[in-house]
Amino acid sequence: MTDDSSLSSVELAAELTAAWLANPNTRSTTEEAVAFLTSIHGAVAELGKVVAVEPEPAAPAEPEHVPAVSVRKSLASRDHIISMIDGKPYKTLTRHLSTHGLTQEEYRTRYNLPKSYPMTAPAYSEQRREMAKKLGLGRKPGQKATAKKSAAK
């Protein structure tokens, strides 16, 4: 093949067919050679067409997530945590995050929060802890709750 990059599709098909026929392992009849030349010419002509290729739409960039409140304000109250998604107060963010299709890790990553950022309001956690103690959760069967001694005597 020549170094000229402006070969026509006929010339290129002829050169490819000649190379195919020059192979000592190729045994073909005249009809097969003509059919090969025709098919190669069709393929080369198809490749040579200038196709208006539309650029692929760029993958939608993940939108910039702007927090509704600051981290400090979201943790300002012991009774609730303010969501950075919608700015509303919640006792626990777990269910709220699941309605938005997020896990706790994804939420923390989205808003650059530390791993220690709580997902439950402190007052709500204490309330649940006291209720669990009253019910005897966390004790082995047969153990009785230990009574706390009052500090005031």
Side-chain angles (χ1 to χ4, degrees), residues 82-93:
I82 298 176
S83 168
M84 294 191 170
I85 297 172
D86 59 8
K88 295 180 181 176
Y90 296 94
K91 288 185 178 181
T92 179
L93 290 176

Side-chain angles (χ1 to χ4, degrees), residues 95-149:
R95 184 175 289 155
H96 170 63
L97 295 179
S98 67
T99 60
H100 289 280
L102 294 171
T103 63
Q104 294 177 9
E105 292 80 27
E106 291 169 344
Y107 179 75
R108 287 181 178 122
T109 304
R110 178 184 281 188
Y111 296 108
N112 297 323
L113 301 171
K115 289 185 178 187
S116 62
Y117 185 86
M119 292 291 147
T120 306
Y124 184 66
S125 293
E126 290 171 10
Q127 179 185 3
R128 290 182 55 103
R129 181 174 176 255
E130 291 302 318
M131 185 186 314
K133 278 184 170 182
K134 279 184 184 177
L135 294 173
L137 298 177
R139 282 185 276 137
K140 294 180 182 176
Q143 282 184 332
K144 292 189 178 184
T146 58
K148 288 187 177 179
K149 294 182 182 178

Side-chain angles (χ1 to χ4, degrees), residues 1-5 7 11 15:
M1 193 154 85
T2 63
D3 291 336
D4 187 15
S5 60
L7 288 176
E11 292 171 331
E15 286 192 25

Side-chain angles (χ1 to χ4, degrees), residues 17 20-21 26-36:
T17 303
W20 178 67
L21 290 172
T26 303
R27 295 191 179 143
S28 63
T29 63
T30 307
E31 293 82 27
E32 290 173 339
V34 171
F36 182 79

